[in-house]
């Protein structure tokens, strides 16, 4: 139940139909594959063995390949250290036993894949007393986004109000790597009569050789904060520019102003022109 950032699990599940696997003890919503100690996750003719390794949080799991040649230890066992134990059910003694009994008991040839490389807190001649004493006196600040990340991750990353899901229903929205809603030029061209197209290029660009999409509303990006009220609210809005970069920023600004049915046109006028779609040019 990560505290640093919001998981992308729900978006991946919605986009691809993949399973969302998480420790059952976490009690999170929208989990399609709750995991417990001793479970197996099969792929082809192989499987991963699930091992509960609590102590950083109650829901920490490690997974080990069926022949014990590879183990993925998450935040339980790091490089020369372990995940912190001072919040979210953390307990240093529990973590020490998880690591020594479930992970350090694996054969010497097992390759470990940890989640982080932090300063050494484990190993050498340190026993449980040394480890617990160190972990209980780290005095680390809480993660900056814990108040946002933990509640969101208890929903497997699904927005609390369902807004993302509902906002995407009006069109075949695709998401950029940054999560920005985007539409292809072809779809925009086919549905142009039911959309408001907002061109955020400069007046000089619109009057230049690139041309413009007929009936699009020109609001240069620097003027958008003051002129956003000119955009009709009775239909969805698609924002565009030359390549899709300035319009991406404009899309974010309009979302912050409360527009739910708004998307960036992927690739901008360059993509529109490459598809041979209609443009107006100054006389």
């Amino acid at each position: 139940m990560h505290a640093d950032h919001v998981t992308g699990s729900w978006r991946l599940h919605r986009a691809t139909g993949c399973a969302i696997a998480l420790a059952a003890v976490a009690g999170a919503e929208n989990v399609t594959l709750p995991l417990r100690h001793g479970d197996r996750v099969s792929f082809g003719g192989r499987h991963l063995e699930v091992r509960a390794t609590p102590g950083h949080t109650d829901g920490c799991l490690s997974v080990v390949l069926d022949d014990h040649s590879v183990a993925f230890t998450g935040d339980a066992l790091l490089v020369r250290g372990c995940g912190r134990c001072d919040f979210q059910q953390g307990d240093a003694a529990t973590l020490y036993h998880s690591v020594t009994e479930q992970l350090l008991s694996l054969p010497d040839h097992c390759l470990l894949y940890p989640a982080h490389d932090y300063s050494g807190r484990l190993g050498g001649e340190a026993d449980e007393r040394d480890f617990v004493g160190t972990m209980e006196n780290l005095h680390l600040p809480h993660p900056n986004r814990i108040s946002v990340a933990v509640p969101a991750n208890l929903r497997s990353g699904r927005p609390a109000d369902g807004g993302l899901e509902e906002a995407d229903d009006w069109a075949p929205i695709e998401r950029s790597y940054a999560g920005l809603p985007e539409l292809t030029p072809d779809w925009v061209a086919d549905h142009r009569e039911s959309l408001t197209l907002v061109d955020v290029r400069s007046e000089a660009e619109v009057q230049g050789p690139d041309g413009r999409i007929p009936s699009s509303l020109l609001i240069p990006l620097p003027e958008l904060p003051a002129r956003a009220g000119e955009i009709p609210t009775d239909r969805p809005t698609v924002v565009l520019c030359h390549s899709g970069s300035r319009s991406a920023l404009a899309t974010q600004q309009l979302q912050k102003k409360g527009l739910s049915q708004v998307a960036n046109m992927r690739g901008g006028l360059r993509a529109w022109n490459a598809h041979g779609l209609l443009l107006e040019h100054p006389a």
Side-chain angles (χ1 to χ4, degrees):
M1 197 49 54
H2 218 70
D4 296 304
H5 54 76
V6 177
T7 177
S9 297
W10 179 78
R11 288 186 178 183
L12 288 170
H13 171 73
R14 189 164 181 265
T16 69
C18 68
I20 298 177
L22 192 72
V25 70
E29 301 173 3
N30 306 308
V31 174
T32 61
L33 185 60
L35 297 175
R36 297 170 177 83
H37 184 78
D39 284 351
R40 292 183 174 186
V41 179
S42 298
F43 60 100
R46 308 293 298 273
H47 70 267
L48 293 172
E49 174 188 309
V50 177
R51 296 192 177 195
T53 48
H56 172 56
T57 70
D58 278 353
C60 280
L61 298 175
S62 297
V63 291
V64 183
L65 193 59
D66 47 18
D67 61 0
H68 291 186
S69 63
V70 174
F72 300 87
T73 60
D75 279 6
L77 178 59
L78 310 178
V79 177
R80 301 184 302 277
C82 295
R84 58 194 291 186
C85 304
D86 56 334
F87 64 95
Q88 285 185 281
Q89 315 95 38
D91 183 86
T94 299
L95 182 56
Y96 182 84
H97 286 280
S98 292
V99 168
T100 56
E101 295 168 13
Q102 298 297 330
L103 301 175
L104 299 186
S105 60
L106 289 164
D108 289 345
H109 69 267
C110 182
L111 297 176
L112 296 182
Y113 288 81
H116 299 283
D117 180 0
Y118 290 153
S119 59
R121 304 169 189 167
L122 182 70
E125 300 301 320
D127 59 12
E128 180 180 352
R129 178 180 57 183
D130 298 315
F131 179 78
V132 172
T134 299
M135 299 299 288
E136 290 182 346
N137 288 278
L138 292 176
H139 302 305
L140 298 172
H142 271 31
N144 291 333
R145 299 198 62 198
I146 186 171
S147 62
V148 174
V150 172
N153 290 336
L154 281 168
R155 301 186 300 272
S156 298
R158 182 172 184 169
D161 58 2
L164 181 63
E165 188 172 24
E166 294 170 4
D168 285 1
D169 288 344
W170 61 276
I173 294 291
E174 299 176 5
R175 294 272 164 181
S176 70
Y177 287 115
L180 193 71
E182 295 186 329
L183 290 167
T184 63
D186 284 340
W187 189 91
V188 173
D190 290 342
H191 297 82
R192 190 166 43 143
E193 299 304 318
S194 61
L195 304 169
T196 296
L197 305 187
V198 178
D199 190 331
V200 297
R201 295 176 298 156
S202 68
E203 180 72 36
E205 288 177 282
V206 172
Q207 297 302 320
D210 289 341
R212 64 179 291 174
I213 299 176
S215 302
S216 56
L217 174 63
L218 173 63
I219 305 180
L221 182 58
E223 302 175 19
L224 185 61
R227 297 180 56 191
E230 298 177 22
I231 301 174
T233 57
D234 60 344
R235 59 178 64 187
T237 299
V238 176
V239 192
L240 60 106
C241 67
H242 176 246
S243 66
S245 58
R246 282 173 289 174
S247 53
L249 179 59
T251 300
Q252 290 177 319
Q253 292 180 5
L254 293 177
Q255 286 180 318
K256 290 179 180 179
K257 286 185 173 293
L259 271 71
S260 59
Q261 294 187 339
V262 59
N264 185 32
M265 189 173 79
R266 178 173 293 174
L269 282 183
R270 292 180 61 181
W272 182 277
N273 190 46
H275 283 76
L277 300 170
L278 179 63
L279 286 170
E280 291 180 337
H281 291 85

